[in-house]
Amino acid sequence: MATNRSGTAGAPGKGAPARPALPGGRFSGNGSLTGQLVKIALLGLFTALGVWAVLPLYTAGNWWGIGLAVAVVALVYWVYLSKRTVPAKYLVPGVLFLMAFQIFPVLYTMSTSLTNMSDGHRGSKEQAISSIEAYSVVRGEDSEEYVLTVATTGDPESGELVFLLTDSEGDAYAGTEEGLGELDRAEVGPSGKVTDAFGYTLLTPSQVNARSDDLQDFAVPTGDGSGIRSSGLSSAFEGNAQRAYDEACDCVTDSETGKVYTADDERGAFYGEDGERLAQGWQVGVGFDNFARFLLNPTFAASFFSTLVWNIAFAASVTFLVFVLGLAVALTLHVPRMRGKVAYRILVVLPYAMSSLAMYLLWRDMFNADFGLFNRILGLQVDWLGDAWAARAAVILANVWLGYPYMFLVATGALQAIPRELGQAAQLDGAGPWQAFRHVTLPLLMVAMAPILIATFAFNFNNFNAVWLLTRGGPFGAEGTASGGATDLLITYTYRLAFSEATAQYGYAAALSVMIFLIVSVTSVISLSRTKALQEVDR
């Protein structure tokens, strides 16, 4: 090893030629500068996302959410600006995505399943009392008038309504279900209407008309038995409430009828002596009542278990049929001497290349009883989507047609990985074509395809589009949609309970979602443990 005059090993001596810089290495400044610029850009983008997430949380007054967002941004900065956290640089993105899209939704769904959350049971008891008093507001002779601008927090079609109000002195306020507050950073036009407000989406007249029912049921509590309600689309008034809450008796008294409604904290609502319930309630914990409801209650249990049986039958039959059909086509095109394989494979894969959304709608039209393709070509008079068993057959048929090309691709790849000599050796030992396939080819295929079949079953078990776009879960019996339709899967039944019924039952729907999660998880774990036996075939 060469040494310089100072005795330092490997260091160039005086007059020795300088060591050449390595492209992209530690002696090159271009790579380091580029990496720093990329890091700054990514951190800036992440900071912008953090600010974008904090703004609606600040508008809603969600300080816990703001604290969590700030903590996540601070964690990312600490990890990527520190030289001691190299492993965390690779783990943090995956962990954050896992928590945001998997852990938090599951935990929130589980917590919701233990409550009575539904329409009329969303907020606290104090909010319910304020809504009861505000909803019973009537105009008085000295009622104060406001210029009204209807807005929402978020999406105009589904966001929470907000009254942007301007009084006679030109001061602007924002009224929500929680109460009235001053409106900062707002622009007021000459007519008194708010033309721009930070954090709110102002609705157009057509959007207000579309939510006219919500507007009639909305009121802003202002305290002391008063509230603000709309009077048309451009004005609102503050009046006195006919129903007032008395903390001494924990009850609400209707001054017009004299009827008293007493609070029931276990059910989260006010009830009269005759059992009449006020529409505005509050959210309370109900334990496992939602689970007991569809497991033990005869009415709901019958609907749940019948839907579960059909759900399993649908997922199993579609998975089996796409496997058989896909494998059969793959074996047919695997023959060495067949001509035109490329053209055949393109034709087979076409359904998989199409948009599933468009294909489901097309199949729905083809099953139409009056002008559908199937009845016209076959000369039938079958009400495909009106009869229970015909609708089930139609749903299975459409999903087999859309699903078998994927299984064909997987089977084709697996077949090409199996040496042809194994089948030929089996035939030399006296095995026929079926025996060679049964005892040699199929076991080797299942090593690769068994996990895919499990994933396909899990996908079809929760295949929302497969049913919703074709039949909407119907046909329905005399009991109506609450009992579930003939083709309803658990996922479509849950969706209807949560979003499509007159009274959205979020707690009950969340309990059903937890059950779906448990069923799919247990089925997948058991199936995967069984597939370990197939690994012996490959050894």
Side-chain angles (χ1 to χ4, degrees), residues 43-57 65-66 69-70 72-73:
L43 288 176
L45 177 62
F46 190 79
T47 304
L49 291 174
V51 173
W52 173 77
V54 164
L55 289 177
L57 294 173
I66 293 175
V70 172
V72 170
V73 173

Side-chain angles (χ1 to χ4, degrees), residues 441-502:
T441 305
L442 184 60
L444 293 174
L445 275 174
M446 293 305 296
V447 173
M449 298 191 67
I452 295 176
L453 290 175
I454 295 171
T456 302
F457 176 85
F459 172 79
N460 285 311
F461 195 90
N462 287 320
N463 197 345
F464 179 84
N465 289 341
V467 169
W468 194 258
L469 296 177
L470 281 174
T471 65
R472 296 273 176 171
F476 299 97
E479 297 84 358
T481 59
S483 62
T487 59
D488 255 327
L489 303 181
L490 289 177
I491 188 67
T492 58
Y493 180 49
T494 301
Y495 177 82
R496 184 179 296 106
L497 289 173
F499 301 108
S500 298
E501 290 295 313

Side-chain angles (χ1 to χ4, degrees), residues 68-276:
L68 179 61
V70 172
V72 170
V73 173
L75 173 65
V76 170
Y77 267 85
W78 176 72
V79 168
Y80 286 95
L81 294 181
S82 174
K83 297 181 179 180
R84 301 180 180 178
T85 57
V86 175
K89 289 179 171 64
Y90 300 94
L91 295 176
V92 164
V95 171
L96 290 179
F97 280 112
L98 177 66
M99 295 180 65
F101 296 106
Q102 293 291 336
I103 296 178
F104 285 162
V106 170
L107 292 178
Y108 179 75
T109 302
M110 289 182 175
S111 63
T112 303
S113 68
L114 303 178
T115 69
N116 67 337
M117 186 177 180
S118 60
D119 280 351
H121 293 277
R122 298 194 184 190
S124 63
K125 185 176 181 178
E126 290 73 18
Q127 292 174 338
I129 294 171
S130 298
S131 297
I132 290 171
E133 293 179 340
Y135 187 70
S136 64
V137 165
V138 293
R139 187 193 296 268
E141 295 181 358
D142 55 349
S143 295
E144 185 174 357
E145 299 285 341
Y146 295 92
V147 178
L148 171 64
T149 303
V150 183
T152 61
T153 54
D155 184 65
E157 297 181 359
S158 59
E160 298 291 336
L161 286 177
V162 180
F163 280 179
L164 304 183
L165 305 166
T166 308
D167 61 14
S168 56
E169 298 180 357
D171 296 326
Y173 302 90
T176 65
E177 292 182 346
E178 298 180 359
L180 189 67
E182 293 185 0
L183 181 60
D184 299 324
R185 301 174 63 179
E187 297 181 5
V188 180
S191 63
K193 292 182 70 68
V194 176
T195 57
D196 186 34
F198 175 75
Y200 300 103
T201 302
L202 276 60
L203 302 187
T204 63
S206 60
Q207 291 172 333
V208 175
N209 287 326
R211 301 197 60 177
S212 58
D213 293 339
D214 297 334
L215 190 64
Q216 292 177 1
D217 296 336
F218 184 78
V220 179
T222 55
D224 299 328
S226 60
I228 298 175
R229 298 195 65 181
S230 64
S231 176
L233 303 182
S234 301
S235 63
F237 66 91
E238 182 176 6
N240 296 321
Q242 291 182 340
R243 292 173 176 172
Y245 174 73
D246 187 353
E247 187 176 359
C249 64
D250 196 15
C251 62
V252 173
T253 303
D254 191 319
S255 60
E256 184 178 8
T257 62
K259 195 170 184 177
V260 178
Y261 300 87
T262 305
D264 187 338
D265 291 325
E266 293 185 357
R267 293 186 287 179
F270 288 94
Y271 290 87
E273 294 182 356
D274 57 356
E276 181 186 358

Side-chain angles (χ1 to χ4, degrees), residues 247-487:
E247 187 176 359
C249 64
D250 196 15
C251 62
V252 173
T253 303
D254 191 319
S255 60
E256 184 178 8
T257 62
K259 195 170 184 177
V260 178
Y261 300 87
T262 305
D264 187 338
D265 291 325
E266 293 185 357
R267 293 186 287 179
F270 288 94
Y271 290 87
E273 294 182 356
D274 57 356
E276 181 186 358
R277 172 188 174 275
L278 293 181
Q280 297 86 353
W282 59 95
Q283 186 174 332
V284 296
V286 296
F288 294 96
D289 288 353
N290 288 323
F291 294 90
R293 184 179 178 187
F294 62 80
L295 291 176
L296 303 177
N297 187 299
T299 302
F300 293 94
S303 177
F304 170 74
F305 284 109
S306 63
T307 303
L308 176 61
V309 170
W310 155 244
N311 202 152
I312 296 174
F314 166 78
S317 59
V318 171
T319 303
F320 174 76
L321 291 175
V322 297
F323 169 70
V324 171
L325 184 57
L327 180 58
V329 177
L331 287 171
T332 302
L333 298 182
H334 192 60
V335 176
R337 297 181 180 179
M338 175 172 286
R339 298 179 179 179
K341 288 184 180 181
V342 175
Y344 287 132
R345 286 173 178 169
I346 292 175
L347 292 176
V348 170
V349 175
L350 276 179
Y352 187 63
M354 300 291 185
S355 168
S356 60
L357 174 64
M359 290 300 101
Y360 281 127
L361 298 178
L362 180 62
W363 275 85
R364 185 186 64 184
D365 290 340
M366 289 194 298
F367 284 121
N368 187 280
D370 298 323
F371 53 83
L373 182 64
F374 287 102
N375 282 353
R376 293 182 62 182
I377 291 181
L378 301 177
L380 301 176
Q381 297 294 327
V382 178
D383 187 5
W384 290 98
L385 303 182
D387 178 75
W389 288 104
R392 289 168 178 168
V395 170
I396 292 175
L397 179 61
N399 283 276
V400 169
W401 185 83
L402 286 169
Y404 88 90
Y406 170 73
M407 203 61 64
F408 158 77
L409 294 174
V410 174
T412 299
L415 284 171
Q416 291 176 350
I418 299 175
R420 295 182 183 271
E421 292 79 7
L422 295 177
Q424 295 172 356
Q427 293 181 8
L428 290 176
D429 289 339
W434 167 249
Q435 290 177 321
F437 171 77
R438 171 68 179 82
H439 296 286
V440 178
T441 305
L442 184 60
L444 293 174
L445 275 174
M446 293 305 296
V447 173
M449 298 191 67
I452 295 176
L453 290 175
I454 295 171
T456 302
F457 176 85
F459 172 79
N460 285 311
F461 195 90
N462 287 320
N463 197 345
F464 179 84
N465 289 341
V467 169
W468 194 258
L469 296 177
L470 281 174
T471 65
R472 296 273 176 171
F476 299 97
E479 297 84 358
T481 59
S483 62
T487 59

